[in-house]
Amino acid sequence: GRSSAASDVYKRQLLAGQDLEVDYAADYTDNIDGFQLILDRAVGVDTPAYDIVVPTNWRAAQMIANGWAEPIPIEVIPNHANIDPAFLTNAWDRGCRYQMPWQAGITGIAYDPALTDDLLGAPITSIAQLFDPALAGRVGFIGEMREAVGLAMLANGDDPSRPTMPAAEAALGRIIDAAGQGQVGAFTFEDFAPRLASGELAAAMAWSGDVALLQAERPDIEFVVPDEGAIQWFDTMVIPSGAPNLAAAGRFMDAVYNPENAARITRWVGYISPVIGVKDFLEDQGGTDAALAANPRLYPDAATRARLFTWGGLDQADEDVLDAEYAALLPES
């Protein structure tokens, strides 16, 4: 998943004292082509190539529904008790018996104030501004259909947590029209960051954690949860059906859910931790860790949380139609 990047140094830190070695493969590049690669290597084969994969929540729900996921070995994961209760109530896996969230993120808007002030004469506060002709050709739309359509639904006054096909089609139609009129400069995944940094884009639908990395280079870049709201999602650890190292996968999950280890992950990736105790640990460390604990991107206040929406899902046939229509807008990989 997008929030699961790791390095050899980081892995050694995470697994220190765990007597466990992990091979990391950056094969899950996105929830379309990357997911298909995972399926080809991990489902319906004698020996799956992976013991843990990290899809976004809606893909994990599909894996579970289709019988492509093993129940997690809770008996070797005592830190399962540290899952934030907010992640335990999903109808597709109540109690997190088939997956354990890795990190959560927000898809909002990142923008370059110097450019948007010049082009719009105002800061970005609304999704509607992404459709303003003043920004024609300088706007990035995220390549994930559910997030882009979800944001456009919010701009239309509809609720993406309770989507209907007519509302989703209306939102997608607005995006298709914008692309046809030259409003959209690029459909992006993590590449929204270098395009903003270079000035190619003035504003983009953006992932909160990747913005944190971008701001290390460009502290002037702003990230906002728009007035209409933003899309919240999470990447989650799933054990593919038939994975050969079930107990070892569980031990890795247990290591991830140790609050001190989870705090290391938070420092590294800049996304929202699903682990109880991380905020307290960061506050106790003081300095830059305490600043992370106070960061509204990682710990949104109540007013912001009320404006965060998770894609609610449609019938699979309807989602397949939307996926195909949206994929037709994306550049060929």
Side-chain angles (χ1 to χ4, degrees):
R2 72 198 86 176
S3 62
S4 61
S7 73
D8 288 339
V9 172
Y10 161 64
K11 286 182 290 181
R12 286 197 295 270
Q13 290 177 337
L14 176 61
L15 298 172
Q18 299 295 321
D19 189 29
L20 184 64
E21 293 185 3
V22 172
D23 291 326
Y24 171 80
D27 293 336
Y28 202 127
T29 52
D30 59 64
N31 284 306
I32 306 300
D33 295 337
F35 183 72
Q36 188 59 53
L37 176 66
I38 296 301
L39 288 186
D40 292 345
R41 295 181 179 179
V43 174
V45 298
D46 291 338
T47 303
Y50 314 96
D51 295 304
I52 297 174
V53 297
V54 190
T56 301
N57 51 287
W58 60 273
R59 276 299 196 192
Q62 290 179 355
M63 290 186 70
I64 294 166
N66 288 323
W68 298 338
E70 293 279 355
I72 60 175
I74 293 178
E75 66 277 6
V76 297
I77 313 176
N79 284 327
H80 188 276
N82 292 335
I83 297 177
D84 186 322
F87 295 92
L88 295 172
T89 58
N90 294 293
W92 48 273
D93 185 29
R94 293 191 184 279
C96 291
R97 299 296 175 173
Y98 284 85
Q99 47 85 39
M100 289 179 69
W102 169 259
Q103 299 285 279
I106 299 168
T107 302
I109 299 174
Y111 68 97
D112 182 336
L115 294 177
T116 55
D117 286 355
D118 181 53
L119 295 168
L120 284 175
I124 297 281
T125 60
S126 169
I127 301 165
Q129 288 169 288
L130 299 182
F131 296 90
D132 190 316
L135 293 180
R138 307 294 295 278
V139 177
F141 275 46
I142 207 72
E144 295 276 359
M145 182 276 287
R146 288 150 188 83
E147 294 161 32
V149 169
L151 285 168
M153 286 179 66
L154 288 169
N156 288 346
D158 295 316
D159 183 353
S161 69
R162 296 176 176 83
T164 65
M165 192 58 171
E169 285 278 23
L172 180 53
R174 188 171 180 181
I175 295 171
I176 291 171
D177 288 346
Q181 294 163 7
Q183 182 71 17
V184 183
F187 286 91
T188 68
F189 290 94
E190 69 279 354
D191 56 320
F192 76 82
R195 290 172 185 262
L196 277 172
S198 70
E200 175 188 345
L201 298 177
M205 297 177 179
W207 296 330
S208 54
D210 285 63
V211 173
L213 297 175
L214 172 59
Q215 288 172 331
E217 173 191 349
R218 288 284 307 276
D220 56 314
I221 297 293
E222 298 282 352
F223 177 79
V224 295
V225 171
D227 295 337
E228 305 95 329
I231 303 299
Q232 187 167 37
W233 46 266
F234 63 93
D235 291 341
T236 190
M237 297 180 287
V238 179
I239 301 175
S241 180
N245 299 304
L246 193 63
R251 288 166 58 206
F252 177 82
M253 291 176 170
D254 192 59
V256 167
Y257 269 74
N258 174 292
E260 184 173 351
N261 285 337
R264 291 191 179 111
I265 297 171
T266 297
R267 293 188 197 110
W268 186 267
V269 302
Y271 279 98
I272 300 167
S273 178
V275 181
I276 294 172
V278 169
K279 185 177 183 182
D280 290 342
F281 179 85
L282 292 170
E283 288 173 341
D284 290 344
Q285 301 308 297
T288 56
D289 277 0
L292 283 177
N295 190 316
R297 269 189 305 96
L298 298 176
Y299 297 99
D301 60 24
T304 302
R305 290 197 300 272
R307 292 185 287 124
L308 299 179
F309 298 79
T310 300
W311 176 260
L314 293 162
D315 290 343
Q316 189 60 56
D318 287 339
E319 295 217 357
D320 288 344
V321 169
L322 294 173
D323 277 331
E325 291 179 353
Y326 197 74
L329 298 172
L330 306 182
E332 293 185 11
S333 57

